[in-house]
Amino acid sequence: MNWPPMLMHVKVKNERTDFGLWLPLFLLFPLALVVLLILSPLIIIAILILLALGQGRWVEFGFRCLWAAITSSWALRGLRVDVQGHHETVQVTVI
Amino acid sequence: MSENRKKILEMLAQGKINADEAYRLLGACGEEGQENRRHEDGGKRGPDIKTKPKYLRVTVTPEDNDDRAHPERVNVRIPMSLVRAGIKLTALIPPEALDKANTALKDKGINFDVRNIKPEDLEDLMEAMGDMQIDVEGSHGEKVKVFVE
């Protein structure tokens, strides 16, 4: 089973700054769920209006986009980008 | 020696077939034997063992004689699951945009229809990528490598 990404580490190093940032992605999932629950009445109303107007394809498209966003973010675990320039280094790691 | 091989050699000795035909038949027997063995052990034996690629790697390294203190380097590791998800995203691209992409590819001399990338063919594509390695050497000596691991 593939686990969702838990942490993201961003590190930027140049002549002036040198900082690393740990982003707790696992905290975003409950937050996203709460936002979705709060917005769900509005989403349902929007879906009903679109269906009544005969624009059901936009509903389908919206769901497909949402699913694609979820699967893409789920698959981010293991991503590592490391770019080193002459004077600057940027590292992004998803754990 | 298998029964089939014995029969072929007997036929050759009796002059029923010539050496070329015997060679071809023996080759076919060998392939068949290998196929049977693969079926028997579920394809888990010998050099056919292939692990699924996990990451797509792109590296850019500077020329060997780059004596600067911090030469430019790029090292990207993309999980295959993200590549899979990315290919599935092509289903969301409007057809007009795909037409534009095809035209742009044709202009660059690449005759490829991006609409041919279908999620059904994804697993075959991923498996085939296991043998892929692209090495490009730039005009300034930098080396670009694309491979899977």
Side-chain angles (χ1 to χ4, degrees), chain A residues 42-68, chain B residues 92:
Chain A
L42 289 173
I43 294 168
I44 291 167
I45 291 167
I47 289 170
L48 290 174
I49 290 169
L50 282 170
L51 288 175
L53 291 171
Q55 299 287 326
R57 68 194 177 101
W58 289 109
V59 176
E60 190 202 333
F61 185 73
F63 276 113
R64 281 169 71 175
C65 285
L66 184 70
W67 180 245
Chain B
L92 299 175

Side-chain angles (χ1 to χ4, degrees), chain A residues 2 61 64-65 68-69 71-73 75-87 93-94, chain B residues 55 57 66 68-79 81-83 85-86 89 91-93:
Chain A
N2 277 344
F61 185 73
R64 281 169 71 175
C65 285
T71 51
S72 304
S73 54
L76 275 173
R77 195 188 176 104
L79 179 75
R80 194 176 71 196
V81 179
D82 182 358
V83 181
Q84 187 183 314
H86 293 308
H87 307 290
T93 313
V94 182
Chain B
Y55 299 104
R57 293 281 309 273
D66 193 341
R68 281 173 289 204
H70 301 288
E72 288 176 327
R73 283 174 199 276
V74 178
N75 189 355
V76 181
R77 190 182 74 178
I78 306 159
S81 49
L82 188 59
V83 178
L89 279 179
L92 299 175
I93 301 172

Side-chain angles (χ1 to χ4, degrees), chain B:
Chain B
M1 200 187 301
S2 74
E3 202 59 37
N4 287 342
R5 283 168 184 265
K6 233 183 228 177
K7 268 185 197 167
I8 293 164
L9 291 173
E10 278 171 11
M11 282 161 75
L12 179 67
Q14 289 162 5
K16 288 181 183 171
I17 54 172
N18 61 31
D20 278 343
E21 286 167 334
Y23 178 75
R24 243 180 291 138
L25 287 169
L26 283 170
C29 276
E31 280 168 21
E32 199 177 277
Q34 275 182 1
E35 196 68 28
N36 288 343
R37 280 196 294 278
R38 219 175 288 153
H39 280 296
E40 278 165 18
D41 61 19
K44 288 176 186 164
R45 197 200 294 182
D48 292 331
I49 296 171
K50 263 189 186 177
T51 51
K52 270 192 172 183
K54 277 189 169 179
Y55 299 104
L56 176 70
R57 293 281 309 273
V58 180
T59 60
V60 182
T61 46
E63 57 180 324
D64 295 333
N65 55 357
D66 193 341
D67 49 1
R68 281 173 289 204
H70 301 288
E72 288 176 327
R73 283 174 199 276
V74 178
N75 189 355
V76 181
R77 190 182 74 178
I78 306 159
M80 284 312 233
S81 49
L82 188 59
V83 178
R84 268 192 202 100
I87 293 173
K88 279 178 188 164
L89 279 179
T90 54
L92 299 175
I93 301 172
E96 301 84 38
L98 290 174
D99 287 338
K100 274 187 186 173
N102 282 340
T103 315
L105 282 171
K106 235 178 209 170
D107 289 345
K108 297 270 179 194
I110 304 163
N111 199 9
F112 179 71
D113 190 350
V114 285
R115 277 173 295 204
N116 287 343
I117 305 173
K118 295 201 171 79
E120 304 92 80
D121 307 326
L122 217 59
E123 285 312 313
D124 290 340
L125 188 71
M126 292 285 136
E127 212 169 286
M129 278 174 90
D131 303 323
M132 183 196 76
Q133 176 158 346
I134 299 168
D135 287 305
V136 182
E137 195 163 340
S139 53
H140 301 293
E142 70 274 15
K143 287 171 187 151
V144 181
K145 266 189 182 180
V146 182
F147 57 98
V148 291
E149 61 177 23

